[in-house]
Amino acid sequence: MLETSARLLQLLSLLQLHRHWSGPELATRLGVTTRTVRNDVERLRSLGYPVDATPGVAGGYRLGAGAALPPLLLDDEEAVAVAVGLRTAASGSVAGMEETSVRALAKLEQVLPSRLRHRVNTLHRYTVPVPGSGPLVDPSVLATLAAVCRDHERLRFDYDSHSGTSSVREVEPYRLAYLRGRWYLVAFDLHRVDWRTFRVDRLTPRIPTGPRFLPRELPPEGVASYVDRGVSTAMWEFRARIRVFAPLSVVSARLPATAGVLTEIDESSCYLDAGSDDPGMLLRYLSMLDLDFSVAEAPELVDEVRKLAARYARALE
């Protein structure tokens, strides 16, 4: 009986871990037969857990939504992560989550073992929160976006751009990111046929969501770097294309990831698409590269180069 109970708890933990499991996968993880898995699923159902089953080759099991929240099985690292996340959410940027997070945190800390409670309190004591100044987002919107990312479902939404124009976008959503006090959705824009970053506080999802899609390869630089670069370049007021007369590997070693986009021309030169608040600031930054360059696109930058060249020429007189 003890062995069966322990296996049921392990099965419940697996069902909470992933959205869908096949029978053979569960049998392998539990070290039992698929028949035993079916029997254990029935036992969980008799205890009130809504376990859905789908037949066929692509069939399997998943934990469905019930009338009440079933007990969650968390290991030590998961319990600490949830507690820290709740404390962060209590002063975070999700609208209406402060009071709810405090209540949930009180319930969790009440049942945490002393060793885990000590870890959470230590982390909280020696962490200084910096209040964000970003806009609040609707938690239901975050939940919707997280669900479509998880289930690989297309999404249509109304979006207000930085310039104030409104449009309807259709995307394949992949990840949510939190950066500098704002939430962002990383998605593949089907109309522009390219990756895009959208501010969550500016979008309104259209329900129901679209059909499922086959996931693409994420941007090679990684989601975090892509969002960081996209957010940084979005704030540029001035943009320019510069040809740098050095191999791409040399230029990339001297530039931070958020400084711009490099495109190789040949073995000895590459394009740098960059920007700044004004042309003079960008020119000063280019001078620090200590590499030869020419302005490919941006007449404003050409004027700044002429002014700086004249100033240096006067310094030599």
Side-chain angles (χ1 to χ4, degrees), residues 75-104:
D75 60 27
D76 286 4
E77 300 302 323
E78 291 170 341
V80 171
V82 170
V84 172
L86 287 171
R87 285 194 172 182
T88 303
S91 58
S93 62
V94 181
M97 292 292 286
E98 295 86 354
E99 181 183 353
T100 306
S101 300
V102 170
R103 293 202 312 267

Side-chain angles (χ1 to χ4, degrees), residues 75-282:
D75 60 27
D76 286 4
E77 300 302 323
E78 291 170 341
V80 171
V82 170
V84 172
L86 287 171
R87 285 194 172 182
T88 303
S91 58
S93 62
V94 181
M97 292 292 286
E98 295 86 354
E99 181 183 353
T100 306
S101 300
V102 170
R103 293 202 312 267
L105 180 62
K107 292 179 181 180
L108 179 61
E109 291 189 335
Q110 184 177 358
V111 297
L112 279 178
S114 58
R115 67 182 189 280
L116 299 185
R117 191 180 303 113
H118 176 72
R119 289 174 59 184
V120 173
N121 290 336
T122 300
L123 182 59
H124 180 70
R125 183 178 304 167
Y126 292 98
T127 301
V128 179
V130 179
S133 58
L136 296 178
V137 301
D138 189 335
S140 64
V141 172
L142 281 178
T144 298
L145 297 179
V148 293
C149 289
R150 177 197 62 194
D151 299 338
H152 306 305
E153 293 179 350
R154 288 186 181 182
L155 179 69
R156 296 178 73 240
F157 55 85
D158 299 292
Y159 191 69
D160 297 324
S161 68
H162 177 71
S163 61
T165 60
S166 299
S167 61
V168 178
R169 315 297 282 268
E170 185 174 7
V171 302
E172 295 176 353
Y174 283 84
R175 296 290 189 275
L176 282 170
Y178 184 73
L179 177 67
R180 302 169 196 167
R182 291 183 172 89
W183 285 95
Y184 297 91
L185 172 67
V186 179
F188 190 85
D189 193 310
L190 296 174
H191 295 304
R192 289 159 179 79
V193 198
D194 198 2
W195 292 96
R196 288 291 188 271
T197 301
F198 302 95
R199 275 185 42 179
V200 173
D201 60 290
R202 291 179 178 167
L203 66 82
T204 303
R206 292 194 174 192
I207 306 298
T209 57
R212 293 174 62 88
F213 61 87
L214 185 65
R216 304 171 188 265
E217 290 289 335
L218 291 170
E221 64 195 282
V223 173
S225 297
Y226 176 79
V227 173
D228 195 10
R229 177 171 59 83
V231 171
S232 299
T233 57
M235 294 185 291
W236 289 341
E237 294 187 10
F238 169 76
R239 300 171 186 267
R241 166 165 276 201
I242 301 100
R243 182 171 183 174
V244 184
F245 295 97
L248 186 145
S249 58
V250 174
V251 180
S252 63
R254 302 189 185 188
L255 286 174
T258 58
V261 179
L262 290 171
T263 307
E264 187 174 45
I265 300 174
D266 51 41
E267 294 182 355
S268 60
S269 65
C270 59
Y271 282 128
L272 169 63
D273 291 288
S276 67
D277 291 337
D278 62 77
M281 183 182 297
L282 178 58

